Amino acid sequence: MSLNDSWMQRDLAVLWHPCTQMKDHEQLPLIPIRRGEGVWLEDFDGKRYLDAVSSWWVNVFGHANPRINQRIKDQVDQLEHVMLAGFSHQPVVELSERLVALTPAGLDRVFYTDNGSTGIEVALKMSFHYWRNSGRGQKQRFVTLTNSYHGETVAAMSVGDVALFTDTYKPLLLDTFKVPSPDCYLRPEGVSWEEHSRQMFAHMEQTLAEHHQDIAAVIVEPLIQGAGGMRMYHPVYLKLLREACDRYEVHLIHDEIAVGFGRTGSMFACEQAGITPDFLCLSKALTGGYLPMAAVLTTDQMYRAFYDDYSTLRAFLHSHTYTGNPLACAAALATLDIFAEDNVIEANRALATRMASATAHLVEHPHVAEVRQTGMALAIEMVQDKASRTAYPWQERRGLKVYQHALERGALLRPLGSVVYFLPPYCITEEQIDFLAAVATEGIDIATRDASRASVATGPYPGFRDPG
């Protein structure tokens, strides 16, 4: 038995993996990773995989980055953790100062949590609580876009709209307003991204006009709806939304957990609309993909609504055990240093251009409806029929075949349904982008050839042993 097989069997005996039907692993081998370096992950048998999805969108400067490694090593000898209630420490103060300076003007306060979903929960709770503290407690509901995803805790699911993640839990969820997304994949032929995004804003305008007295906040994934299939829209929608939220006295929450820190072509997606949201939620790339941490930035006006004598019970009594963890702060500070010192955003423009040219041929593929891109995120949508854009039945799991082929070729490409996407670390080279494009093309050819080729093999893989 190989080292990989040995670790797989030990894993399957005790683990329950995220976002996984575990029975799949009767046919689909788990891949135990021994080490990482740059864009590469290496398993226990020595095979390498190019991490094209940044390990769930977190790793921006490569695995085992020596600068981030050193900052964490230095910190661990000083302070590993201290509670942030009643105490503070140097890394969290420095990180907060830098985030306030880096983000759009007006975001002057930082609240930390442990991960993206809990960051969303904080923004929702703060908005709700702000209106209560301000004597307008009827403002309790939230507006979200169709096809949106904001995490998998209960309130975060409530403002999401990807059925795969939410349908099972509907009885648990908050009652929210869902407004049609400006998703430009759905635009009529001949209509530009900007024009379509403007037209789709009419739905949001109507919802705010009719229900603003009851609405606490609108929450959006700016520019890219990630888990919904990397669907994209124009920044003009965000500008119109900011203006409408101001007119109707509704908070605006930007979930930049996946798209912040350079992914869309600017440091933060909201910059492309020239706006400041009331809440900016950050995570994932915040620590360079090293440690779990989220930051919710908000305004001093928000902060002041909670600032009072304890006896008034106006305080925001929300906490997480590892809030502001010094090691995570150290990783985040090193990540911000790399952005500041290496001209990352400018360098990414060349990489984004190469991603576009390397995949341009797929526009003509008979089973590709669209190749779309925003900055360092590129998506290829496979369809059953190109002319009508008829989607493949989800049961055929076409994306899984691309994933399997990519693993054989030494790449980690984990599609979203029938959407193959590149969301690589920023240290990727142009040659590595070309390799990914070739692998994706091969995988798409295989996955779209016929239905039988797209399904999982019927028998267990060699070496599989039922953990029961």
Side-chain angles (χ1 to χ4, degrees), residues 418-448:
S418 292
V419 176
V420 180
Y421 70 94
F422 300 170
L423 209 92
Y426 303 156
C427 57
I428 195 169
T429 66
E430 293 188 349
E431 292 73 23
Q432 290 164 346
I433 289 171
D434 292 343
F435 166 69
L436 285 181
V439 170
T441 300
E442 295 164 4
I444 289 167
D445 285 342
I446 292 168
T448 60

Side-chain angles (χ1 to χ4, degrees), residues 171-468:
L172 302 178
L173 305 184
L174 305 174
D175 181 23
T176 59
F177 294 106
K178 290 183 169 56
V179 172
S181 169
D183 175 5
C184 288
Y185 178 72
L186 304 176
R187 71 193 186 280
E189 187 175 354
V191 175
S192 70
W193 279 33
E194 180 173 357
E195 184 180 357
H196 180 69
S197 298
R198 283 185 180 276
Q199 291 172 354
M200 292 304 294
F201 188 75
H203 300 285
M204 180 66 75
E205 179 76 34
Q206 181 178 354
T207 298
L208 293 175
E210 294 177 359
H211 302 287
H212 63 94
Q213 296 293 347
D214 301 318
I215 294 171
V218 178
I219 181 169
V220 296
E221 299 163 273
L223 304 186
I224 303 174
Q225 293 186 298
M230 294 295 162
R231 295 293 181 83
M232 302 174 185
Y233 60 95
H234 194 276
V236 71
Y237 191 91
L238 303 176
K239 185 176 179 63
L240 295 171
L241 181 56
R242 175 71 276 179
E243 293 168 354
C245 286
D246 288 341
R247 275 188 283 116
Y248 291 112
E249 297 185 283
V250 168
H251 293 146
L252 175 57
I253 303 170
H254 270 209
D255 173 357
E256 296 217 19
I257 289 162
V259 301
F261 298 102
R263 185 58 65 180
T264 65
S266 54
M267 192 64 172
F268 302 106
C270 55
E271 294 174 24
Q272 297 187 37
I275 65 165
T276 300
D278 299 292
F279 298 92
L280 179 63
C281 301
L282 305 172
S283 190
K284 291 192 182 290
L286 171 61
T287 66
Y290 269 69
L291 289 163
M293 171 180 264
V296 180
L297 283 93
T298 190
T299 64
D300 198 58
Q301 178 182 349
M302 193 70 54
Y303 174 81
R304 289 291 165 186
F306 295 83
Y307 195 93
D308 207 338
D309 294 331
Y310 183 84
S311 60
T312 65
L313 299 180
R314 294 164 67 88
F316 189 62
L317 300 178
H318 181 106
S319 62
H320 294 270
T321 304
Y322 284 97
T323 292
N325 173 259
L327 299 177
C329 288
L333 286 165
T335 299
L336 294 185
D337 283 345
I338 296 173
F339 273 109
E341 296 166 9
D342 287 14
N343 200 21
V344 174
I345 304 299
E346 182 63 32
N348 280 358
R349 293 194 180 104
L351 294 173
T353 299
R354 186 58 163 253
M355 285 167 61
S357 63
T359 56
H361 63 280
L362 286 168
V363 172
E364 305 303 325
H365 193 284
H367 292 288
V368 170
E370 182 176 65
V371 179
R372 54 183 173 267
Q373 183 177 10
T374 298
M376 288 291 287
L378 183 142
I380 306 154
E381 184 121 3
M382 296 187 293
V383 290
Q384 183 171 310
D385 181 75
K386 189 181 184 81
S388 65
R389 292 192 165 187
T390 302
Y392 284 109
W394 64 264
Q395 295 89 342
E396 293 180 4
R397 304 182 75 181
R398 300 281 175 151
L400 181 61
K401 195 65 181 179
V402 179
Y403 173 71
Q404 290 174 297
H405 173 75
L407 291 178
E408 291 171 5
R409 291 276 275 118
L412 169 51
L413 278 171
R414 183 184 167 99
L416 294 158
S418 292
V419 176
V420 180
Y421 70 94
F422 300 170
L423 209 92
Y426 303 156
C427 57
I428 195 169
T429 66
E430 293 188 349
E431 292 73 23
Q432 290 164 346
I433 289 171
D434 292 343
F435 166 69
L436 285 181
V439 170
T441 300
E442 295 164 4
I444 289 167
D445 285 342
I446 292 168
T448 60
R449 201 167 290 160
D450 59 64
S452 63
R453 286 180 178 271
S455 59
V456 182
T458 54
Y461 60 80
F464 175 82
R465 178 169 56 83
D466 189 328

